[in-house]
Amino acid sequence: ALPIASLTKIWTALLVLERSELSDLVYVSSRAAAVEGSSIYLEQGQTYTVDYLVHGLMMQSGNDAAIALAEHVGGSVEGFVHLMNEKAKAYQLTQTTFTNPTGLHHEKHLSSAYDTAKMLQIAMQHDAFQKIASTKVFSQGMTWKNKHRLLHEDVGAIAGKTGYTKVASRTLATFFKREQKSFIVVTLNEGNDWYIHKELADYVDAHFEHDIIVKKGTYKINGISVFVDRPIELLLKKGDKPALRHLLVVSRHPDSNRAAWRVYEDNVLVASKLMTVQAR
């Protein structure tokens, strides 16, 4: 596990969007306004919408936005960090520990390229996250240009997040879409990340093919009926036919209508999708 710097904000943004409305107003505390590092220059005592702050979080990597949102959703930064770790545990991000919502250096704040790629894959299933993480230019009183350079180039990069601290060095996550193929590239501690991401994307494009492993539709499993609204897809190396294991995880809470369909290869989680339980 390594420091991931501001790639942390992928998880921060997803948690915020799942637990608030875009129109919610967020109060900026002295702690948020004074946080070190990259900033969108929030003023203490002012209020801003969740929509504005999450754009600032993802596009400009605002640490002040991260703290303000964490306090709004978690009641405190510490409360929010607890939620981040609980969610990481639920998604079996076994190499990931969060100590803050920003990615500022802490010796125990660590993840891996694999876990970070999973975070982005999970987050991109959320419509509001996908829209914000894909925004190239945002204008609301001022204009922000997304710091992720590949989004502005014609290489198939549609979303992602940049990161940097002195200890972590450069970190980068990119969601690529090329024709039917969607895939994620993550590098940690890589100075030549823009070039490496394009090179790896070209490699995946040439050597992997798109395969639907669970079609859209309603499935009855052990007396439970679930609806898959979008197919579950994998990129498989050309010619490969791996043995896949499917697991349906249903909430015990009788009022919850959510379930997770997980797909494993050799006990490694390779796909995960949230879906609606229609009947038990």
Side-chain angles (χ1 to χ4, degrees):
L2 292 168
I4 62 168
S6 285
L7 303 192
T8 298
K9 292 174 177 127
I10 294 167
W11 212 235
T12 301
L14 176 61
L15 203 55
V16 167
L17 292 169
E18 285 180 340
R19 289 172 174 260
S20 53
E21 299 295 327
L22 291 172
S23 58
D24 287 354
L25 291 175
V26 177
Y27 174 83
V28 178
S29 69
S30 57
R31 182 176 181 178
V35 68
E36 64 180 294
S38 52
S39 172
I40 56 169
Y41 307 106
L42 301 177
E43 293 182 37
Q44 180 184 341
Q46 296 295 309
T47 55
Y48 302 83
T49 63
V50 166
D51 183 54
Y52 179 86
L53 293 177
V54 178
H55 276 92
L57 180 79
M58 289 299 295
M59 295 178 68
Q60 299 292 293
S61 216
N63 290 337
D64 47 356
I67 298 295
L69 288 164
E71 290 176 334
H72 176 72
V73 171
S76 65
V77 171
E78 294 72 23
F80 187 81
V81 169
H82 175 73
L83 296 175
M84 292 176 79
N85 285 313
E86 286 294 299
K87 190 172 183 65
K89 215 176 285 178
Y91 278 95
Q92 299 181 322
L93 304 180
T94 56
Q95 300 175 82
T96 300
T97 304
F98 297 109
T99 63
N100 61 65
T102 60
L104 284 167
H105 181 66
H106 184 288
E107 60 183 16
K108 291 182 179 175
H109 189 104
L110 301 168
S111 188
S112 64
Y114 180 72
D115 272 11
T116 306
K118 281 163 68 174
M119 286 183 224
L120 184 52
Q121 184 254 337
I122 292 159
M124 286 293 283
Q125 294 179 35
H126 191 288
D127 290 341
F129 178 93
Q130 186 178 134
K131 184 172 179 289
I132 292 169
S134 304
T135 301
K136 295 177 185 178
V137 178
F138 179 77
S139 292
Q140 204 177 89
M142 84 299 298
T143 299
W144 291 327
K145 184 179 177 184
N146 199 309
K147 285 186 173 183
H148 197 307
R149 199 170 91 191
L150 298 186
L151 269 61
H152 307 282
E153 298 181 15
D154 188 20
V155 292
I158 65 160
K161 185 73 193 76
T162 58
Y164 174 81
T165 64
K166 281 184 181 174
V167 178
S169 189
R170 291 175 65 86
T171 62
L172 188 65
T174 312
F175 189 98
F176 287 93
K177 194 166 181 65
R178 294 190 177 183
E179 295 177 351
Q180 283 188 305
K181 300 173 187 175
S182 297
F183 53 93
I184 292 164
V185 177
V186 174
T187 48
L188 305 179
N189 191 19
E190 173 53 66
N192 199 18
D193 46 14
W194 304 121
Y195 174 78
I196 296 286
H197 277 234
K198 288 189 278 191
E199 197 175 54
L200 286 171
D202 289 342
Y203 177 83
V204 170
D205 207 9
H207 293 91
F208 286 75
E209 57 191 358
H210 169 262
D211 196 13
I212 294 175
I213 55 168
V214 179
K215 293 179 181 176
K216 177 180 174 179
T218 300
Y219 293 80
K220 288 191 176 176
I221 303 164
N222 294 338
I224 295 171
S225 180
V226 293
F227 177 63
V228 180
D229 61 341
R230 295 177 194 163
I232 300 176
E233 303 161 320
L234 278 183
L235 277 186
L236 301 176
K237 204 158 193 179
K238 288 178 179 175
D240 271 12
K241 289 291 174 193
L244 300 174
R245 182 169 61 89
H246 296 256
L247 179 68
L248 185 68
V249 182
V250 182
S251 170
R252 289 180 182 175
H253 198 285
D255 294 334
S256 173
N257 68 339
R258 304 299 278 164
W261 190 311
R262 295 175 180 166
V263 184
Y264 294 85
E265 180 187 0
D266 296 330
N267 290 324
V268 175
L269 182 67
V270 292
S272 177
K273 180 164 178 53
L274 288 174
M275 60 198 57
T276 305
V277 177
Q278 292 187 318
R280 296 181 187 238

